[in-house]
Amino acid sequence: MLETWGWAGSNGRIAMSVVPEPGETRLLATAIPVDPTLDCYVRQLEVPGAGAVYDFSAELDSDRRRSNAGYVSDIATLNWPITPSDVPLVPGRSHQVQFGVATDALVPTPGWLRMAVVLAGDDGLPTRTLAVDLVLYGRIADDPALRDATDGAIERWRVLYETVGIDLAVTSRTLDGPVLPPPNAPEGGELWDRIAATGPLDAVHVVVAPDEGSSDRGVVGVSGDIPGPLVPSRRTGIRIVPERLCGVDGACGPADVRMFGEVMAHEVGHFLGLFHPVEQDWGRWDALSDTVECDALLPCEQALGTNVMFPYPVCTVDGCVPQTALTEQQGDVLTGWVGVQ
């Protein structure tokens, strides 16, 4: 990991130079404003001999979603390459990651940024490992039924990721604290920063939290970002609320446990860089060529309803359709995230 601080001047821009060593083929660049009232974004990534291979303006104008890096936010993260067809890094030569600082009104402004780049290689093995920091939060740790459901969900998630060559290395711990908001909520940033900072720094932090009746009660899982960062921050993690999947008696049956695992796979999929293959406005899609393009509810459910990254479970009176499919290119994105080793 390369980490530094920098001042974005009057135009609100600052560049960080990165020189990959031989064998380093992937990078994860993250920026965090020192002033919490300011936002930031990734403007460009320049690769020697290829120019700006990532440009935020091209991303914002497209209906094909590749990364949230170019959107103004409290934290900005870019994983490169996004897909195998992207221009590769050049070992031994200087690459430029340019960040921008802006107000919440999207006006470029001076400001200090904390900037970090994590570099990783590719050993060419057919299976890679994703380290998972499983956090049983609050009363979840004292509920045997929910702990058993979590164990079953992890196994479901494990089977789904094995299909694209990812093995899960799960360690677990318990934490107690106040009501935990989602990792992308305006409040709760210090909690999420602490969760990430006290866990393994090379892991995805998956927090299984109790249902505390917050305003987002209908949401089962939330990812910090697409893709998510490795450095501790308010967006470094995923929150899952399994009680929202279970029956009114609080018991998680086999179908609930199955869906619990699919939610884990879905939300971590976002954290590793995957978008929904189609958004629910039916007018925006991911940038992958092997996820079917559709433009209305019924044909989208028929073509993509079994995909792990479909935006919602497809359910009837007889139950919900298992969501098990991951395409080859979706697998490429998952295994391309820097934290997958």
Side-chain angles (χ1 to χ4, degrees), residues 193-264:
D193 194 307
R194 190 175 306 122
I195 287 169
T198 55
L201 294 180
D202 62 346
V204 173
H205 309 283
V206 178
V207 182
V208 181
D211 188 355
E212 302 290 356
S214 57
S215 59
D216 64 331
R217 193 180 179 94
V219 178
V220 177
V222 177
S223 171
D225 208 349
I226 309 175
L230 273 172
V231 294
S233 74
R234 65 183 306 120
R235 290 183 175 269
T236 309
I238 294 101
R239 190 194 71 173
I240 309 288
V241 185
E243 291 165 299
R244 297 175 183 174
L245 291 169
C246 302
V248 293
D249 58 355
C252 295
D256 302 320
V257 172
R258 172 183 63 76
M259 192 177 295
F260 183 3
E262 291 168 7
V263 169
M264 282 183 164

Side-chain angles (χ1 to χ4, degrees), residues 96-176:
Q96 299 290 318
V97 186
Q98 186 182 101
F99 299 103
V101 180
T103 67
D104 57 6
L106 308 183
V107 177
T109 187
W112 283 97
L113 278 183
R114 172 191 171 196
M115 301 173 289
V117 172
V118 183
L119 292 158
D122 179 2
D123 57 17
L125 296 176
T127 300
R128 294 181 180 175
T129 299
L130 174 64
V132 178
D133 173 36
L134 179 67
V135 180
L136 303 175
Y137 193 82
R139 58 181 169 80
I140 296 291
D142 301 319
D143 189 322
L146 285 174
R147 291 190 70 143
D148 288 345
T150 301
D151 290 341
I154 290 284
E155 292 312 306
R156 175 64 170 175
W157 172 20
R158 187 187 305 279
V159 168
L160 297 176
Y161 273 30
E162 282 177 349
T163 65
V164 294
I166 296 177
D167 182 37
L168 304 182
V170 182
T171 58
S172 63
R173 57 187 171 125
T174 61
L175 285 178
D176 204 0

Side-chain angles (χ1 to χ4, degrees), residues 30-33 39-40 71 73-77 225 229 233-236:
T30 300
I32 305 173
D39 290 326
C40 64
Y71 291 86
S73 178
D74 51 357
I75 295 167
T77 298
D225 208 349
S233 74
R234 65 183 306 120
R235 290 183 175 269
T236 309

